[in-house]
Amino acid sequence: YLKNLAPTDTVDKIDSQGKGEPDIFIVFEKKEGGGRQLKMQLFDINHDKKIDLVKHFEKGKLVKTEMDLDYDGFVDVVSEYDPDTGELKKKTQADGSTNIWKYYFKNELRRKEIDRNSDGKPDMWVYYRNGKVIRTEIDQSFDGKVIRTEGPLNINSAPKAAESK
């Protein structure tokens, strides 16, 4: 991240441990007139001299985070935010074999897409409302076509309890 900075970028380095090694880097973009605007924050959480968490900003507002949760040098989770509201829009998790994409609306999980065969494309879709699964769609043959649906297709079409006479 720090190798691909623009000529107009400046970096503040912070040593949070007081050991003479910076572990927090704050990148600013120089603005005309001498000001600067926050562009990125980078953190070496486990102090191994590798970046583990990156926060990306546009016009000073958080738009994306990237995290290496297992400290192997690869990003495991990417979260994308609405710059106007700050709400989480999408979260992508990858562990090298399974990819999971989570989509949010007003900070509520609405859909999860899962890549079960590691081809980079989802083949299972889970839909949520009010924190509960309302429907699951599965592409069992991995050809891009949903061939099995579990749960009601419409949350308002659930069977009603029989009326007592």
Side-chain angles (χ1 to χ4, degrees):
Y1 296 96
L2 295 171
K3 294 177 183 175
N4 298 319
L5 298 177
T8 57
D9 292 341
T10 61
V11 180
D12 290 355
K13 298 176 182 180
I14 300 168
D15 175 10
S16 70
Q17 299 288 304
K19 296 182 178 178
E21 289 288 331
D23 53 1
I24 300 173
F25 304 87
I26 304 173
V27 180
F28 295 94
E29 181 180 6
K30 289 182 189 175
K31 299 307 241 175
E32 289 184 28
R36 23 185 233 170
Q37 189 165 56
L38 180 61
K39 188 175 180 179
M40 270 193 298
Q41 295 173 330
L42 303 100
F43 302 87
D44 175 7
I45 295 170
N46 65 341
H47 311 291
D48 65 352
K49 297 184 173 82
K50 294 185 217 168
I51 300 300
D52 307 306
L53 170 63
V54 180
K55 295 182 176 185
H56 298 269
F57 297 83
E58 289 179 8
K59 298 180 182 173
K61 296 190 177 187
L62 181 66
V63 293
K64 181 168 76 169
T65 61
E66 298 176 276
M67 294 183 278
D68 176 7
L69 299 173
D70 56 5
Y71 308 118
D72 65 355
F74 298 99
V75 174
D76 301 304
V77 178
V78 177
S79 299
E80 298 175 30
Y81 300 88
D82 183 317
D84 296 325
T85 64
E87 293 177 349
L88 180 63
K89 293 189 313 184
K90 180 180 177 183
K91 189 175 196 176
T92 304
Q93 294 176 247
D95 66 4
S97 61
T98 301
N99 294 309
I100 301 172
W101 299 268
K102 296 178 182 179
Y103 296 87
Y104 295 80
F105 179 72
K106 295 189 182 276
N107 285 326
E108 179 187 338
L109 178 62
R110 289 297 186 99
R111 183 176 80 234
K112 186 188 304 183
E113 298 177 349
I114 303 162
D115 172 14
R116 297 174 301 133
N117 66 343
S118 302
D119 67 354
K121 298 180 285 191
D123 43 59
M124 182 172 168
W125 300 262
V126 183
Y127 297 87
Y128 298 84
R129 292 297 179 273
N130 300 317
K132 296 184 178 173
V133 174
I134 61 165
R135 182 174 83 243
T136 302
E137 298 174 349
I138 301 168
D139 173 3
Q140 290 178 313
S141 60
F142 305 105
D143 63 359
K145 298 175 185 166
V146 175
I147 60 168
R148 192 172 90 208
T149 301
E150 298 171 353
L153 293 175
N154 182 334
I155 59 174
N156 297 322
S157 68
K160 295 181 180 176
E163 293 181 24
S164 58
K165 295 185 180 184

